[in-house]
Amino acid sequence: MRKWNLNYMKLRDKLLLMYVLSVFIPIVVTNVVFYNVTAANIRSQKTRDAGMALNNLKNELRVNIDQGVGLSYSLYADPVFNATLTREFNSQFEYIEAYNSYLQGEFSGQMNQGIRWYQVYTDNPTILSSGYIERLSDAIRNSDWYIQSQSYSAPYPALIVADQTLSLVQRLNNLNTGGIEQLLKIDLNMDLIKQHFHNSGFDGKVYLVDPGGHIQFTNDLTAEESPVEQLFSDIQFPNKTIQFERTYTGINYLEGWSLQGVMDEEIVLQEVRKSRSFVVWLACINFVLPSIIIAAMSRSLHVRLVRILKHMKKVKTQNFQTIPPEDARDEIGQLTMEFNRMTETIHNLINEVYVADIQKKDLELKQQQAQLHALHSQINPHFLFNTLESIRMRSLIKGEKETAKIVHNMAKMFRKSISWNQNDVTVKEELELIESFLQIQKYRFGEKLQYSIVADPAALMYRVPKMVILPFVENASIHGIESSPGEGMIQLQVSVEADELMIRLEDNGIGMSPSRLEELLSYLDQNTDMGEHVGMKNAYSRLKLCYKDRFSFMIQTWEGKGTHVQIKLPLDQKAMQHE
């Protein structure tokens, strides 16, 4: 039992067994079944095609014969035509007048593609032989076709073969002829019939057999050369032939006639052999290509696993040599990486214990320094606030109220920027910060700067990201108003419109050129660095971070006339009402 246990088999033997059971045997069986099914389908298809071709030939031949039958019935059923043929004319002049006035018109226009010629025979002594009418003489009565027609007495035309021509013979006895014998002989177009036989699409020999079993027409050259009418049953065909029979039934003038088709089975086998070559090539491709792929994959597994096994045995003897790295990300590649990592770890644990202890002490020292730095950072803001407060009190003692007011605004701005622990504030708090900033700017510019802040009371308690409006006000003051020669005006308006918080900022500063505006918008959307407008870039980035694509931002500017900034924020999540 151990011999057949898969866990005791080598990996190479397992891969070979998997290849034989999963690739080789299924490919052989699949291709054999595919070949047999394909051969059967081709044989069936060729047989169906041959049957359809013989049916088409049968129908084409009947159409050809029906053209003659139509002419036969039209003359047979015409009482005036038959009465004229049996009439006793007093003179040749009287007959010629009757021929020109009636018979000639009756005969004209009756020829068509399927009829080579037709002739009316009569033993009326007063009728002259001319055109389509001929005297029924002894020579005609001794002809082969006339003798054959005497064996038919039915009122419909008889199909006979004489002088290698198919003809329809109709007795014109529909009316009382007074003992006068009248016949209509219609010779079919044998060239057209031959064309039908040769163009039938039947891959074999076709025989037109009469009710007596004699071959009357065929595309078999050996049978055509036979001087005597040959029975179809006397022909010796090879053993491997496929025979088809299509018999005319329910048609009185074709009753008993049939088309016999004989197709050599070798024709079908030729198509099968073509498919066999295709199947063989396909089998070779299906066999060789998977074999190469499986061999390459098997070698990739086997060679690398053996290499890992060899290095594992080296580790047992305290040889911590790592496996050379390779560009592989499969399981064996990951196993190799983990083995190398484990080997290096073991080697480090043995040889570098003291170094690790020193590194641990150094890390503890750095942590203590970081804690001390954090304590210093907490002291610095309080020192700065106390210093600003001392300056403000000193200015009040000296009577410098305006300076004290500016210092107070600076301290208030700095304290709010440090003390705001949350990422968002109310619109009211943001506007108070902007008010302090504009007071400082007005102290700087004097009467040159005027500003207006108008806010809808309903908008004051909505929350926005902190310091998100101030950078745009700062940009309007420093870059817009400072360089303007005249009096500058900054107007800030905040309102609630529908479900949005509308922020409009306008100034009458120097504005920007279209190229400069395009450069600024590109700077806001991308990670480029222009060296200025850092506050605007920071505010715009925080808007994108908070609202994604649910906010609207637009800048309009006119060079020498000013700039308009419009921001629309949704009244949900970050802009929700503060409770």
Side-chain angles (χ1 to χ4, degrees):
M1 292 298 294
R2 175 179 290 187
K3 182 179 180 181
W4 298 105
N5 193 333
L6 293 178
N7 293 331
Y8 288 91
M9 292 180 65
K10 292 184 177 180
L11 178 62
R12 181 176 57 188
D13 297 336
K14 289 180 181 179
L15 294 175
L16 181 61
L17 180 62
M18 180 178 65
Y19 170 74
V20 172
L21 296 179
S22 302
V23 178
F24 181 77
I25 294 178
I27 286 179
V28 172
V29 173
T30 301
N31 283 280
V32 170
V33 173
F34 178 73
Y35 173 75
N36 291 331
V37 172
T38 302
N41 289 338
I42 292 176
R43 180 184 178 90
S44 177
Q45 183 62 42
K46 291 293 292 184
T47 303
R48 285 196 300 269
D49 292 344
M52 291 177 61
L54 202 60
N55 285 332
N56 292 336
L57 177 60
K58 175 186 174 185
N59 294 332
E60 290 174 352
L61 188 61
R62 180 185 173 182
V63 169
N64 200 356
I65 296 174
D66 282 348
Q67 292 178 356
V69 172
L71 172 61
S72 173
Y73 281 158
S74 67
L75 295 180
Y76 175 78
D78 190 343
V80 179
F81 176 77
N82 285 273
T84 304
L85 289 180
T86 58
R87 174 183 170 186
E88 183 179 356
F89 295 95
N90 296 325
S91 64
Q92 294 181 354
F93 178 77
E94 184 180 358
Y95 167 73
I96 293 172
E97 184 178 2
Y99 181 85
N100 292 333
S101 62
Y102 172 71
L103 292 177
Q104 185 176 10
E106 189 70 14
F107 288 130
S108 63
Q110 297 287 359
M111 294 292 290
N112 52 50
Q113 186 180 11
I115 300 173
R116 185 177 65 84
W117 184 255
Y118 66 93
Q119 194 80 37
V120 176
Y121 296 93
T122 179
D123 58 1
N124 187 344
T126 62
I127 290 180
L128 302 176
S129 295
S130 60
Y132 293 96
I133 300 178
E134 186 174 347
R135 185 71 59 83
L136 187 58
S137 61
D138 292 338
I140 297 298
R141 287 189 168 92
N142 293 328
S143 63
D144 186 23
W145 70 265
Y146 181 84
I147 295 173
Q148 291 185 47
S149 67
Q150 295 306 303
S151 60
Y152 296 94
S153 59
Y156 48 81
L159 181 62
I160 61 177
V161 180
D163 300 328
Q164 297 183 349
T165 301
L166 287 172
S167 302
L168 291 168
V169 178
Q170 172 73 60
R171 292 182 178 275
L172 300 178
N173 56 1
N174 187 27
L175 301 176
N176 184 13
T177 62
I180 297 176
E181 184 179 4
Q182 300 174 154
L183 296 174
L184 171 64
K185 179 174 177 288
I186 302 173
D187 295 333
L188 302 179
N189 189 345
M190 296 306 296
D191 293 335
L192 183 61
I193 294 176
K194 289 179 181 179
Q195 183 179 351
H196 289 331
F197 269 72
H198 289 289
N199 297 337
S200 63
F202 184 85
D203 291 333
K205 300 173 183 178
V206 184
Y207 303 88
L208 178 62
V209 181
D210 64 13
H214 296 88
I215 299 174
Q216 298 297 349
F217 191 81
T218 180
N219 59 357
D220 185 1
L221 299 180
T222 58
E224 285 182 349
E225 294 174 356
S226 177
V228 203
E229 287 187 358
Q230 188 176 9
L231 288 172
F232 177 75
S233 57
D234 292 342
I235 300 179
Q236 298 296 325
F237 296 108
N239 293 330
K240 294 183 177 181
T241 56
I242 305 174
Q243 295 190 12
F244 303 84
E245 181 179 3
R246 298 293 184 270
T247 304
Y248 289 98
T249 57
I251 307 171
N252 49 22
Y253 51 88
L254 286 175
E255 190 68 34
W257 286 77
S258 65
L259 282 174
Q260 302 290 340
V262 179
M263 184 171 63
D264 192 351
E265 196 172 10
E266 184 66 22
I267 297 176
V268 179
L269 295 178
Q270 288 178 358
E271 297 293 332
V272 174
R273 291 191 188 100
K274 292 180 182 179
S275 66
R276 181 172 61 188
S277 301
F278 171 75
V279 170
V280 170
W281 280 108
L282 184 62
C284 292
I285 294 174
N286 289 338
F287 179 75
V288 173
L289 187 60
S291 300
I292 295 174
I293 295 174
I294 292 177
M297 295 179 66
S298 301
R299 186 180 183 280
S300 173
L301 296 174
H302 182 261
V303 171
R304 292 190 294 160
L305 285 175
V306 169
R307 183 175 57 180
I308 293 175
L309 181 60
K310 289 180 180 179
H311 280 79
M312 284 183 175
K313 292 180 180 179
K314 290 180 181 180
V315 171
K316 188 168 59 175
T317 61
Q318 295 186 2
N319 183 355
F320 299 101
Q321 180 183 358
T322 59
I323 302 174
E326 59 180 359
D327 187 14
R329 297 184 179 181
D330 58 354
E331 287 79 0
I332 298 179
Q334 294 178 10
L335 181 62
T336 302
M337 293 173 59
E338 293 301 325
F339 173 80
N340 288 340
R341 186 179 291 111
M342 180 191 68
T343 303
E344 292 173 353
T345 301
I346 294 174
H347 186 266
N348 292 335
L349 287 175
I350 293 175
N351 298 323
E352 300 179 3
V353 173
Y354 297 106
V355 175
D357 186 55
I358 294 173
Q359 290 177 347
K360 180 179 179 182
K361 291 180 180 179
D362 183 62
L363 180 61
E364 291 176 354
L365 179 61
K366 289 181 178 179
Q367 289 177 347
Q368 292 175 359
Q369 291 176 349
Q371 292 175 358
L372 182 60
H373 179 72
L375 292 174
H376 289 166
S377 298
Q378 292 176 358
I379 295 173
N380 289 337
H382 294 284
F383 174 76
L384 182 58
F385 294 150
N386 293 334
T387 301
L388 289 174
E389 183 63 20
S390 298
I391 295 173
R392 187 180 73 86
M393 294 302 296
R394 182 64 178 173
S395 298
L396 288 174
I397 293 172
K398 288 186 176 183
E400 297 176 357
K401 295 182 179 180
E402 188 175 5
T403 302
K405 182 179 178 182
I406 296 304
V407 173
H408 176 69
N409 286 330
M410 288 179 60
K412 185 164 59 173
M413 287 183 61
F414 187 63
R415 184 181 298 276
K416 285 187 176 182
S417 64
I418 296 297
S419 62
W420 284 349
N421 294 324
Q422 296 180 342
N423 292 326
D424 53 0
V425 296
T426 63
V427 174
K428 180 180 180 181
E429 292 173 334
E430 181 77 7
L431 294 182
E432 288 176 353
L433 184 64
I434 294 173
E435 175 76 23
S436 298
F437 172 78
L438 289 176
Q439 285 289 339
I440 295 173
Q441 294 300 313
K442 189 168 179 60
Y443 175 75
R444 173 187 176 186
F445 292 112
E447 295 300 325
K448 182 179 179 180
L449 174 63
Q450 302 294 329
Y451 67 87
S452 170
I453 300 177
V454 180
D456 189 348
L460 293 178
M461 299 311 294
Y462 283 100
R463 304 188 72 84
V464 295
K466 67 180 180 180
M467 298 184 70
V468 77
I469 306 176
L470 179 61
F472 297 101
V473 177
E474 178 189 8
N475 184 76
S477 172
I478 296 176
H479 297 285
I481 303 302
E482 182 178 2
S483 302
S484 177
E487 180 181 290
M489 182 65 183
I490 296 177
Q491 294 179 328
L492 176 61
Q493 181 179 355
V494 182
S495 60
V496 176
E497 297 182 7
D499 294 332
E500 294 178 321
L501 184 68
M502 179 70 69
I503 303 171
R504 294 186 178 91
L505 177 64
E506 301 179 2
D507 69 75
N508 61 347
I510 60 173
M512 289 180 286
S513 63
S515 59
R516 177 60 178 167
L517 175 60
E518 183 178 355
E519 187 178 2
L520 175 61
L521 293 176
S522 176
Y523 166 69
L524 294 179
D525 284 327
Q526 301 176 4
N527 294 325
T528 56
D529 186 9
M530 292 173 56
E532 57 183 13
H533 302 295
V534 178
M536 289 179 60
K537 177 62 179 292
N538 180 277
Y540 183 77
S541 299
R542 285 188 293 119
L543 285 174
K544 289 178 65 177
L545 184 63
C546 293
Y547 298 103
K548 307 299 181 185
D549 58 349
R550 297 180 300 111
F551 79 101
S552 171
F553 178 81
M554 182 179 65
I555 298 180
Q556 292 179 307
T557 183
W558 299 268
E559 192 169 5
K561 296 183 179 180
T563 303
H564 293 178
V565 178
Q566 179 176 286
I567 303 173
K568 294 181 181 180
L569 304 179
L571 294 180
D572 58 357
Q573 295 184 5
K574 283 293 182 182
M576 60 186 176
Q577 192 170 354
H578 178 67
E579 295 180 359

